Amino acid sequence: MFYREVGEFKSSYAADQVVFPIRQDRYFVWTFVLFAFIGVPLFANAYWLSGILIPFLILSLAALGLNLLVGYCGQISLGTGGFMAVGAYAAYNLAVRIPGLNPLVAFLLAGGITTVVGIVFGIPSLRIKGFYLAVATLAAQFFLDWIFSRVAWFTNYTPSGSLNAPPVTLFDFTFDTPVRKYLLCLTFAVAFAVLARNLVRGRTGRAWMAIRDMDVAAEIIGIRPLYAKLSAFAVSSFFIGVAGSLWAFVHLGSWEPLAFDVNRSFSLLFMVIIGGLGSIFGSFIGAAFITLLPLFLNQFPAWLGLHWSTALIAHLESMIFGALIVFFLIVEPLGLARLWSIAKEKLRLWPFPH
Amino acid sequence: MGSLTTWQRALLALLGAGAFAATTPVFAQANDQFIPVLVYRTGAYAPNGAPWANGFVDYLNLVNERDKGINGVKIAYEECETGYATDRGVECYERLKGKGPTGAAAFNPLSTGITFALTEKAPVDKIPVITMGYGRSESADGSVFTWNFPLLGTYWTAADVIMHQIANKLGGYEKLKGKKVTLVYHDSPYGKEPIPLLTELAKRHGFDFKSLPVTAPGVEQKATWLQIRQDRPDYVLLWGWGVMNSTAIKEAVAVNYPRDQMYGVWWSGAEPDVLPADAGAIGYNAAALQHSSGQTSVHADIIKNVYDRTKGSGKKEEIGSVLYNRGMINAMVTVEAIRTAQAKYGKKPLTGEQVRWGIENLNLDQARLRQLGFGGLMQPLKLSCSDHEGARMARIHQWDGAKWVYVSDWIEGNNKLLRPMVEEAAKKYAKDKNLTPRDCAKVT
């Protein structure tokens, strides 16, 4: 009744090709983004910002990058943690070794370096597919882990191998309070989401999807697999590299290779699968599911006034979390984003479903 | 009431287990001093994390039950499970730092990784970070690391004490020349910390130093010990945590490396580390951070006031184990720091900044320790603006198959060697972070 395209007439190609063709969608997204930029900083406390929202936004960005590769181009990667580490260590080395370089610029340059590394590790994808590619990218994960904990140059010869991020500044403005950090991460996440959305609607994204759906057919209709696959690795690594540098500089502030170990790769892949392969929105709800749900389960008993032992709560957290993953995968194998789009389709027909 | 399904019964059983296993955290009231407790009772490090946490919480309960708080100010605390993971630790820190009427008094993260992350956050929030026997070695320099307190000994102190014991047994430092010493370490900042000091000692005394990393959590060490079998080092130093320690001892048994030539840091010298290896662990040495296992009058107080009132958080039999004692001492130091700060700021809940002053001016002499029931468990501890470590005394204890026995006298870390290294590393940190060190001559 309220949510439908009937009555919305497009009189130009530009209007026909906007990101959200339905007016209500546009309003909703704009309200949501405005709320995130203005409402959240007004209402959220420091714990919500630095304990929950900042890690959520950064991991969403990484999941978004991975989704471009796995969801849109069909190339499975288990090296995401390693690529985040490349971003983090590249940003650190740029910021420390080039005096006067703004860390924000270093983040983008680090994304660039991660792109190059991503392309190198993406080369095997031209010959191998599926599970075999997953194993090849897993090798990237272990190699990158190893190099950052063994080669002292990358850690600027710090004895313990743990790095401290220099402060993130823009002119005279320092991103030090939770609100400022949150807004910085939000800006990155929104900008990259818009970028990703436009990439996947365009020629590049269509080439990725063609490769994903059937690479032989895609090649026959004139899509170059070399270009399509490597560009997917490149763009995806860029996103992940920037996310890695944000994770290190903005969220942790001090980190070690363990912060980007293989578990990070797995959890990001789970975010993408649970959120929805091939969906920008899915990356965000997947990240929310994987990062926020354990925290919620951990604190829920206390909200109910149940003073259980910490160990019991931690065990319950793992059990319920695991059960919910299985539940959602059975109920909706296409991810949480699919549930959302089903809801929207139902809403279009409401109140007269046929 | 109809018959219950299997599911309903399982759920009820679970709820029942929850009710019995409950260690009711005390929730903050308006006039309470809030102490956050970062713990890990699950995961690969739980065998070592749980006794520490029990000791810590039991002592806080003891102060509430026996003394009705610190000078009448009740302690409120809340546990947060970190699983030894840095990102969960940071989340716990953010969750707990603002609780209670005055915020968190001090954090005891019990993880070097989390300590590194909190070192960046604590100065902003003005909350001290107490890292008793772990953390950043250079944070012993209080002029740069205002908010860090690596009390009772850093990893550098531990490495120095262990090498001193080895030299003693050989009959002097000059006998170390040409010997082969291998460090088997947890591949994380924790394990890497002693490397600079050991490298320096190797240079000075002419022994051959080699380090072998073990990937966390350390259940897979076959390759490492194969290499040890080939090299046959004269001594193996073990810098492990959790399941890595017992695995290392079992692997040493497998390659027939003599256990009495193995020396663990104080985090590799507790009951959970040796018990899984059974008789294989006999003869294994480790540094003891002030204390070993055993009970004193404070344990009797805990049993009487906490366990007999069913407020204990662990098993009664585990009271007095090495890590239990360490958690308890850790809690006592935190409580005494608050008491010291109360003398200056008044008997009310204090902020992290006020507690920081209390830690820095903490002075626990032998008489006071005996009064607290810690006589024989630890040596006096006195901090200052420049020295945030307070004491550098340790002993070596050895596992005899049933208990830990001391095999050395008190050994003091060589401050002539340690202090310049601490200051140099701290200076580098200050330069990197653009910090101006405090002038300790002017601090009162």
Side-chain angles (χ1 to χ4, degrees):
Chain A
M1 195 147 107
F2 302 110
Y3 179 75
R4 55 183 177 182
E5 56 267 65
V6 175
E8 291 182 26
F9 301 107
K10 311 282 180 1
S11 52
S12 68
Y13 284 117
D16 197 36
Q17 290 178 350
V18 290
V19 176
F20 298 105
I22 305 175
R23 197 187 295 136
Q24 287 87 339
D25 266 350
R26 272 198 304 278
Y27 291 159
F28 175 75
V29 168
W30 273 112
T31 325
F32 193 77
V33 169
L34 277 179
F35 174 73
F37 269 101
I38 298 164
V40 171
L42 284 178
F43 298 118
N45 62 16
Y47 168 61
W48 265 89
L49 291 172
S50 15
I52 295 178
L53 291 173
I54 291 175
F56 156 68
L57 283 171
I58 300 172
L59 290 177
S60 302
L61 181 56
L64 179 59
L66 184 65
N67 213 337
L68 293 180
L69 185 65
V70 182
Y72 285 95
C73 195
Q75 311 296 309
I76 297 179
S77 168
L78 281 174
T80 328
F83 294 135
M84 277 180 84
V86 172
Y89 284 86
Y92 171 79
N93 279 296
L94 289 167
V96 168
R97 287 169 202 279
I98 304 175
L101 181 74
N102 188 297
L104 292 177
V105 181
F107 292 170
L108 296 177
L109 289 177
I113 291 172
T114 318
T115 306
V116 176
V117 177
I119 291 175
V120 171
F121 283 105
I123 290 172
S125 71
L126 302 176
R127 298 300 292 271
I128 50 180
K129 291 179 205 162
F131 292 126
Y132 304 97
L133 181 63
V135 176
T137 51
L138 195 61
Q141 167 74 42
F142 288 127
F143 173 73
L144 293 168
D145 252 3
W146 175 83
I147 203 167
F148 291 126
S149 51
R150 290 291 160 270
V151 182
W153 185 85
F154 288 109
T155 51
N156 202 9
Y157 303 99
T158 319
S160 61
S162 177
L163 299 179
N164 308 300
V168 183
T169 52
L170 184 64
F171 304 112
D172 279 338
F173 187 81
T174 313
F175 292 94
D176 49 0
T177 62
V179 171
R180 291 173 182 182
K181 285 180 176 177
Y182 164 77
L183 288 175
L184 178 72
C185 293
L186 185 65
T187 313
F188 268 101
V190 169
F192 277 80
V194 171
L195 183 70
R197 178 77 197 179
N198 282 302
L199 264 177
V200 298
R201 309 192 301 143
R203 187 187 158 78
T204 327
R206 279 158 207 264
W208 292 344
M209 286 185 268
I211 290 283
R212 172 192 67 191
D213 292 340
M214 195 177 195
D215 52 353
V216 179
E219 209 173 343
I220 287 169
I221 59 169
I223 291 164
R224 283 183 296 156
L226 173 86
Y227 173 79
K229 285 182 179 176
L230 289 190
S231 66
F233 265 99
V235 174
S236 152
S237 307
F238 183 78
F239 280 45
I240 294 167
V242 172
S245 56
L246 284 173
W247 186 254
F249 276 61
V250 179
H251 179 52
L252 292 179
S254 168
W255 72 99
E256 58 204 87
L258 224 55
F260 302 104
D261 66 352
V262 70
N263 291 328
R264 179 68 61 216
S265 297
F266 282 123
S267 80
L268 282 165
L269 193 63
F270 297 157
M271 285 175 199
V272 171
I273 292 173
I274 289 178
L277 288 163
S279 159
I280 306 283
F281 179 64
S283 313
F284 283 88
I285 33 177
F289 186 88
I290 298 277
T291 56
L292 307 190
L293 194 63
L295 299 183
F296 169 76
L297 291 173
N298 194 274
Q299 301 184 41
F300 186 63
W303 295 343
L304 291 182
L306 295 168
H307 299 167
W308 289 349
S309 81
T310 318
L312 179 76
I313 293 175
H315 289 306
L316 279 181
E317 174 198 319
S318 315
M319 284 156 64
I320 298 175
F321 184 54
L324 280 177
I325 289 180
V326 175
F327 173 77
F328 276 109
L329 286 181
I330 290 172
V331 173
E332 190 45 77
L334 296 175
L336 298 172
R338 179 74 192 138
L339 287 178
W340 174 252
S341 60
I342 290 174
K344 283 209 297 190
E345 271 162 33
K346 288 222 177 352
L347 198 60
R348 269 187 201 189
L349 300 176
W350 183 83
F352 303 114
H354 43 74
Chain B
M1 192 171 146
S3 63
L4 298 170
T5 64
T6 322
W7 275 106
Q8 284 168 327
R9 238 178 275 141
L11 193 67
L12 275 180
L14 207 61
L15 289 172
F20 285 115
T23 59
T24 324
V26 184
F27 280 86
Q29 306 289 314
N31 279 320
D32 290 351
Q33 177 76 53
F34 181 72
I35 299 179
V37 191
L38 266 53
V39 297
Y40 32 99
R41 293 178 180 278
T42 60
Y45 304 94
N48 298 46
W52 182 90
N54 291 341
F56 197 98
V57 168
D58 282 349
Y59 189 79
L60 297 184
N61 280 330
L62 172 70
V63 173
N64 274 349
E65 292 291 320
R66 183 190 61 187
D67 314 338
K68 306 285 166 244
I70 312 167
N71 291 328
V73 181
K74 277 249 183 188
I75 300 170
Y77 67 87
E78 189 175 329
E79 286 189 14
C80 186
E81 171 81 19
T82 67
Y84 200 63
T86 304
D87 52 350
R88 279 308 278 270
V90 168
E91 192 271 329
C92 282
Y93 169 81
E94 299 289 351
R95 192 196 299 181
L96 298 181
K97 72 179 183 191
K99 294 224 167 160
T102 50
F107 275 90
N108 293 279
L110 195 63
S111 147
T112 302
I114 300 174
T115 305
F116 274 79
L118 296 195
T119 302
E120 308 303 310
K121 295 179 184 292
V124 181
D125 299 316
K126 300 203 184 304
I127 300 171
V129 178
I130 301 176
T131 58
M132 203 182 87
Y134 56 98
R136 288 185 92 110
S137 297
E138 64 263 40
S139 65
D141 185 345
S143 65
V144 173
F145 292 89
T146 314
W147 299 91
N148 288 51
F149 294 90
L151 302 175
L152 299 179
T154 63
Y155 295 132
W156 290 358
T157 309
D160 190 49
V161 165
I162 292 172
M163 287 316 294
H164 191 95
Q165 165 73 0
I166 292 175
N168 271 355
K169 282 196 102 174
L170 285 169
Y173 268 108
E174 62 284 352
K175 297 266 173 59
L176 272 174
K177 203 173 189 70
K179 295 275 188 238
K180 282 196 281 189
V181 176
T182 297
L183 170 72
V184 175
Y185 67 96
H186 189 266
D187 197 4
S188 67
Y190 156 53
K192 286 179 187 166
E193 273 282 325
I195 294 176
L197 186 101
L198 289 167
T199 315
E200 175 68 24
L201 283 176
K203 210 161 56 191
R204 282 191 184 200
H205 304 298
F207 62 86
D208 193 17
F209 171 63
K210 195 170 169 184
S211 56
L212 299 174
V214 171
T215 311
V219 279
E220 179 48 60
Q221 301 181 28
K222 283 264 182 292
T224 313
W225 288 91
L226 221 54
Q227 205 165 348
I228 286 175
R229 191 167 74 175
Q230 281 169 359
D231 294 350
R232 282 278 144 193
D234 297 287
Y235 296 98
V236 167
L237 309 189
L238 181 63
W239 236 260
W241 185 225
V243 70
M244 175 179 161
N245 290 330
S246 51
T247 312
I249 296 172
K250 282 189 230 165
E251 291 293 340
V253 176
V255 301
N256 206 11
Y257 186 83
R259 262 72 67 203
D260 57 352
Q261 290 173 25
M262 287 173 72
Y263 286 83
V265 68
W266 41 62
W267 298 107
S268 307
E271 290 82 358
D273 306 325
V274 287
L275 284 176
D278 289 328
I282 295 176
Y284 169 75
N285 305 292
L289 179 71
Q290 301 276 345
H291 58 89
S292 180
S293 51
Q295 301 203 358
T296 57
S297 62
V298 67
H299 295 92
D301 277 2
I302 285 183
I303 292 173
K304 196 176 99 203
N305 293 297
V306 182
Y307 279 76
D308 290 351
R309 297 183 195 172
T310 64
K311 295 205 166 166
S313 47
K315 289 194 197 115
K316 221 178 205 174
E317 309 82 77
E318 283 169 9
I319 296 174
S321 70
V322 173
L323 288 164
Y324 182 95
N325 284 353
R326 192 164 306 158
M328 200 181 70
I329 291 180
N330 208 156
M332 181 275 283
V333 171
T334 312
V335 166
E336 289 313 304
I338 294 170
R339 201 188 301 278
T340 309
Q342 280 183 351
K344 176 173 166 139
Y345 297 102
K347 291 176 177 131
K348 55 176 200 243
L350 302 176
T351 63
E353 198 171 5
Q354 291 163 337
V355 174
R356 195 207 72 79
W357 185 90
I359 309 171
E360 197 165 277
N361 291 282
L362 187 65
N363 183 6
L364 292 171
D365 56 15
Q366 201 61 264
R368 178 68 186 146
L369 286 173
R370 225 171 290 134
Q371 198 184 351
L372 287 165
F374 286 79
L377 266 185
M378 62 184 288
Q379 293 277 300
L381 172 70
K382 186 180 189 313
L383 281 85
S384 69
C385 163
S386 62
D387 180 14
H388 275 195
E389 194 177 359
R392 268 167 292 277
M393 305 280 273
R395 282 176 286 186
I396 306 291
H397 58 185
Q398 193 174 47
W399 182 250
D400 73 351
K403 62 180 187 306
W404 290 99
V405 266
Y406 290 113
V407 292
S408 86
D409 218 347
W410 287 99
I411 302 172
E412 180 154 28
N414 178 7
N415 214 19
K416 280 205 194 76
L417 164 78
L418 295 166
R419 191 68 199 178
M421 286 184 71
V422 165
E423 278 174 7
E424 192 190 334
K427 208 184 281 169
K428 183 170 176 289
Y429 178 85
K431 195 171 145 271
D432 287 352
K433 300 295 280 187
N434 239 338
L435 287 172
T436 320
R438 292 185 297 163
D439 185 354
C440 278
K442 288 186 189 148
V443 175
T444 47

